[in-house]
Amino acid sequence: MNCILLPAVNFHNESAYINAAAQIEHVNQVLGAKVGDTLKVGQLEGHLGSAVITDMTPERILLGNVDLTTAPPPKLDLTVVLALPRPKVLRRLIMDMTALGVRDIILINSYRTQKSYWQSPMLNRLDEFVLEGLQQGIDTAAPRISLQKRFKPFVEDELAALMTNRAIIAHPYGALSFSQYMQQQLKNAESPQKVLPSMVFVGAEGGWIDYEVEMLARQGCQAVHIGARILRTEAAVNAILGQWLL
């Protein structure tokens, strides 16, 4: 973690405390910090800054001279609709998308999503994975995460209201590459920032089936590919979202 994020209740005036076991272990074992050292800290849904360690015990680290003056980085104007992946992959993806600054994440059912994934205890730990991603990306504002267990009703009844701009489907058999898609949009755009879509659909292992792609296309989504290689879901997500960072 590149900063220590704490809830608002852990702050009082210019002091604060760390009481989460994982954070205490990180300060002790990874940072090797001692009383008098300065830490990068932030308040969840607040600002970033620094604090000085004033006391340390196995159960709590006390902080003084807390100075939170830096606003968190802006979110990407982006919603990622992700077919619910395998539980072990879910943790990495939530962390990565959070660290990259995705504003909204929608976990959706798909034909290739196994029903057992929706009973995974990992879904009860999303806040934990978000915190890890925020601390990695030095951010304080969590993405909004929602669960959609029914693909067809979501696409037919809710998608149109959520599409504030264009939407693309990451699909290895799409007619256009992402580069070609961007070149087409640039022809009539005032700036590169305005051509990026506001929504990206990414399938789980095995991708989307033709029926799903066709349903999304009827709502105005464009299928695009990112090359000849078939990538794992987490590799595809990071490759695509890198375009927004650039």
Side-chain angles (χ1 to χ4, degrees), residues 25-211:
E25 181 181 3
H26 181 81
V27 172
N28 286 319
Q29 303 299 325
V30 179
L31 300 181
K34 299 178 176 58
V35 172
D37 288 347
T38 299
L39 300 178
K40 291 181 180 179
V41 299
Q43 180 178 310
L44 283 168
E45 305 302 331
H47 280 56
L48 296 155
S50 62
V52 177
I53 298 175
T54 59
D55 188 44
M56 302 179 73
T57 70
E59 294 78 27
R60 179 173 293 203
I61 296 175
L62 299 182
L63 306 173
N65 297 329
V66 176
D67 182 28
L68 303 178
T69 57
T70 303
K75 289 294 184 191
L76 301 180
D77 181 20
L78 179 63
T79 297
V80 174
V81 184
L82 176 69
L84 186 66
R86 290 182 294 115
K88 289 200 296 187
V89 175
L90 177 64
R91 174 181 178 270
R92 297 194 295 267
L93 282 169
I94 294 296
M95 288 174 55
D96 287 347
M97 289 188 288
T98 300
L100 288 166
V102 174
R103 183 192 58 210
D104 291 280
I105 300 170
I106 299 173
L107 300 175
I108 195 169
N109 193 48
S110 72
Y111 180 81
R112 293 193 169 110
T113 295
Q114 294 187 25
K115 292 182 180 179
S116 62
Y117 294 175
W118 290 104
Q119 280 74 52
S120 170
M122 287 290 193
L123 289 173
N124 297 322
R125 298 175 58 192
L126 295 180
D127 288 346
E128 175 188 332
F129 307 149
V130 165
L131 180 61
E132 292 183 67
L134 290 174
Q135 292 180 141
Q136 172 65 37
I138 313 182
D139 192 1
T140 66
R144 295 183 293 245
I145 301 179
S146 61
L147 307 181
Q148 295 287 342
K149 295 184 179 181
R150 301 177 66 198
F151 181 87
K152 184 177 180 180
F154 170 79
V155 173
E156 293 182 337
D157 302 333
E158 301 183 44
L159 178 56
L162 298 175
M163 285 177 57
T164 60
N165 193 358
R166 291 168 298 278
I168 61 171
I169 313 159
H171 187 52
Y173 308 111
L176 292 177
S177 69
F178 188 87
S179 176
Q180 291 169 330
Y181 170 83
M182 291 294 291
Q183 289 172 8
Q184 287 186 0
Q185 302 304 319
L186 276 168
K187 291 179 181 178
N188 300 315
E190 298 177 3
S191 67
Q193 289 76 18
K194 294 184 178 181
V195 305
L196 285 167
S198 62
M199 184 173 284
V200 176
F201 286 80
V202 182
E205 301 298 333
W208 306 104
I209 63 172
D210 291 343
Y211 170 78

